[in-house]
Amino acid sequence: METADKKNLTDEEISALAESSLHKKFAKEIWGNFTKAIKVYGLLKEGDRVAVCISGGKDSMLMGKLFSELAKHSIFPFEVKYIVMNPGYSEENARLIERNASLLKLDVNVFQSDIFDNVFNIEKSPCYICARMRRGYLYRYAKELGCNKIALGHHFDDVIETILMGMLYGAQVQTMMPKLHSTNFEGMELIRPMYLIREDDIKAWANYCGLNFLQCACRFTEQSNSCGNEQTKSKRQEVKQLIKTLKKTNPEVETHIFRSVENVNLDTVIAYKQGGERHHFLDDYDKK
């Protein structure tokens, strides 16, 4: 990957490169797919106040920068609040987040929580509980700031991996939706504007600009280079490797996986759920 020589660049030069590269070198792969997702899935409306949730990783940091640029060029007015929840980061990790926010010129609102302390010693599904708690804290703080939406940094690869993981390990066909109404916080909505951006392009942008982000927003990163839930991690890595292997003989496999949940034919599905109700093809088979 092409990389900027960080040693020879000032912070101001890195900031300028991170911004200009989105409209030049990565105009199609990142900026174009970001604005496309917003348009195709109707993620933003005039008057929205969006809480851009930044964990410190490459995905959410890039999302913050993209929203910063969009606010400058949007054809309709909307507001952005950049929020960072500190669930118990080490001082080193907290400083890294603050430095990257400064480099990307993001005016972040940092708030504290004790999530890591609460889940660190939980043996059963600690990552699931942590994720649920984090989401709740983010919704609450966003609402306090007057926001009606929170934006999360899930990307294209997260989507297709989730589809396959659901099929292979969960015996279900489902996807990570580009937007969702909150069931616990009235009037709030979750959006995923990185939905069409490939992970390799995010990595390429970070490397090109000489930026270094947190590898995982989890206390376990302070002890090792991996996240805490090894079982989920290994499953996701298996799926990543599977897609990589399939891509060798089918270069379009990633796109096909993504499109598969856009082209579901209910006439050829044995059973499905909608609104919590199960439907079976035999229910009205003899009526046809």
Side-chain angles (χ1 to χ4, degrees):
M1 295 180 181
E2 191 176 355
T3 307
D5 186 354
K6 194 173 183 179
K7 294 180 181 179
N8 295 328
L9 292 178
T10 65
D11 285 358
E12 192 60 37
E13 287 172 331
I14 292 174
S15 297
L17 182 62
E19 183 173 310
S20 64
S21 62
L22 294 176
H23 301 290
K24 295 179 181 179
K25 184 175 179 61
F26 298 98
K28 179 181 178 181
E29 296 86 351
I30 294 180
W31 179 253
N33 280 325
F34 174 72
T35 55
K36 179 180 179 181
I38 288 174
K39 182 178 180 180
V40 170
Y41 301 116
L43 303 184
L44 279 183
K45 296 179 181 177
E46 183 174 342
D48 278 343
R49 178 178 286 185
V50 184
V52 177
C53 303
I54 297 175
S55 66
K58 66 185 189 314
D59 309 327
S60 62
M61 279 291 188
L62 171 58
M63 178 176 66
K65 188 60 183 174
L66 287 167
F67 264 104
S68 175
E69 289 302 294
L70 185 65
K72 298 177 186 176
H73 305 288
S74 176
I75 60 174
F76 59 82
F78 69 95
E79 293 184 59
V80 183
K81 297 290 183 180
Y82 305 98
I83 66 175
V84 175
M85 180 182 65
N86 185 338
Y89 292 133
S90 67
E91 289 187 13
E92 181 181 1
N93 281 346
R95 283 196 301 269
L96 179 59
I97 294 174
E98 290 172 0
R99 169 167 169 72
N100 284 325
S102 177
L103 286 172
L104 296 178
K105 299 187 181 303
L106 302 177
D107 184 15
V108 296
N109 297 272
V110 181
F111 69 102
Q112 307 292 320
S113 75
D114 55 1
I115 291 178
F116 282 174
D117 287 336
N118 289 332
V119 304
F120 191 67
N121 294 315
I122 294 177
E123 294 183 4
K124 187 176 181 180
S125 304
C127 294
Y128 172 77
I129 295 171
C130 180
R132 295 275 297 186
M133 291 180 68
R134 289 167 66 91
R135 190 75 57 84
Y137 271 98
L138 290 170
Y139 268 122
R140 259 189 297 275
Y141 188 65
K143 201 159 189 178
E144 288 177 11
L145 294 176
C147 298
N148 64 310
K149 294 180 178 179
I150 67 169
L152 301 184
H154 297 113
H155 49 65
F156 182 90
D157 296 71
D158 291 324
V159 177
I160 63 173
E161 289 162 13
T162 298
I163 294 170
L164 283 188
M165 287 178 70
M167 294 174 66
L168 300 177
Y169 300 108
Q172 57 188 338
V173 177
Q174 63 176 16
T175 190
M176 182 181 285
M177 297 297 287
K179 65 179 181 179
L180 292 167
H181 290 293
S182 172
T183 55
N184 297 317
F185 295 86
E186 186 178 355
M188 296 290 290
E189 191 175 4
L190 180 155
I191 61 174
R192 295 184 169 104
M194 306 276 282
Y195 205 77
L196 301 178
I197 300 176
R198 304 292 181 100
E199 185 175 24
D200 282 346
D201 293 324
I202 299 173
K203 291 178 180 177
W205 172 79
N207 287 336
Y208 177 75
C209 299
L211 292 164
N212 176 43
F213 300 112
L214 285 185
Q215 296 302 304
C216 174
C218 170
R219 175 169 287 182
F220 287 93
T221 55
E222 299 162 15
Q223 303 175 350
S224 68
N225 291 323
S226 63
C227 293
N229 192 337
E230 291 299 325
Q231 184 178 14
T232 300
K233 180 191 173 187
S234 63
K235 288 179 180 178
R236 190 165 288 275
Q237 289 302 322
E238 281 183 22
V239 169
K240 280 181 179 289
Q241 186 58 49
L242 174 60
I243 294 173
K244 185 177 180 180
T245 300
L246 293 172
K247 195 175 177 180
K248 293 178 181 178
T249 55
N250 181 4
E252 298 299 317
V253 69
E254 294 162 309
T255 300
H256 290 169
I257 294 170
F258 185 87
R259 297 299 181 202
S260 69
V261 292
E262 291 185 336
N263 297 313
V264 177
N265 184 347
L266 293 183
D267 290 331
T268 63
V269 172
I270 293 175
Y272 66 95
K273 290 181 180 179
Q274 186 174 35
E277 183 179 351
R278 181 179 172 85
H279 302 271
H280 196 280
F281 86 103
L282 288 178
D283 293 344
D284 57 0
Y285 179 78
D286 291 329
K287 298 176 183 179
K288 295 181 180 179

